[in-house]
């Protein structure tokens, strides 16, 4: 009997907004395995670093810094 193994990562989002951002990214990149609840998803393990970098990039672009020009 053949057996297949897959690497997956459980992602717990800070809030539902971050999860919605991930769902939007998934439409383009297809890394979502399962949508578990309001703040938790399961993604393909090979996309872990990509997802982390994208969230960091988007959050840094949308963070207000007092005194910044």
């Amino acid at each position: 009997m053949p057996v297949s193994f897959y690497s997956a990562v459980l992602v717990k989002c800070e809030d539902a907004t971050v999860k919605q951002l991930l769902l939007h990214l998934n439409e383009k990149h297809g890394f979502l395995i399962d949508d578990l609840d309001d703040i938790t998803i399961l993604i393909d393990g090979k996309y872990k670093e990509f997802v982390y970098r994208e969230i960091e990039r988007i959050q840094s672009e949308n963070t207000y810094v007092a005194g910044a020009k």
Side-chain angles (χ1 to χ4, degrees):
M1 171 186 343
V3 177
S4 297
F5 292 92
Y6 298 94
S7 173
V9 176
L10 184 67
V11 180
K12 290 186 100 42
C13 303
E14 295 171 2
D15 57 42
T17 305
V18 174
K19 181 184 168 196
Q20 290 304 312
L21 175 62
L22 289 172
L23 294 176
H24 178 73
L25 280 173
N26 179 65
E27 291 176 7
K28 187 173 186 180
H29 299 283
F31 51 77
L32 182 70
I33 295 173
D34 199 3
D35 184 349
L36 301 172
D37 63 30
D38 291 343
I39 61 167
T40 311
I41 61 174
L42 191 64
I43 66 169
D44 186 327
K46 62 186 171 190
Y47 286 92
K48 177 184 172 186
E49 293 300 320
F50 166 76
V51 169
Y52 179 79
R53 283 192 313 268
E54 284 299 297
I55 292 297
E56 289 290 313
R57 180 185 66 77
I58 292 167
Q59 286 182 330
S60 71
E61 289 175 359
N62 294 300
T63 300
Y64 173 76
V65 178
K69 294 182 180 182

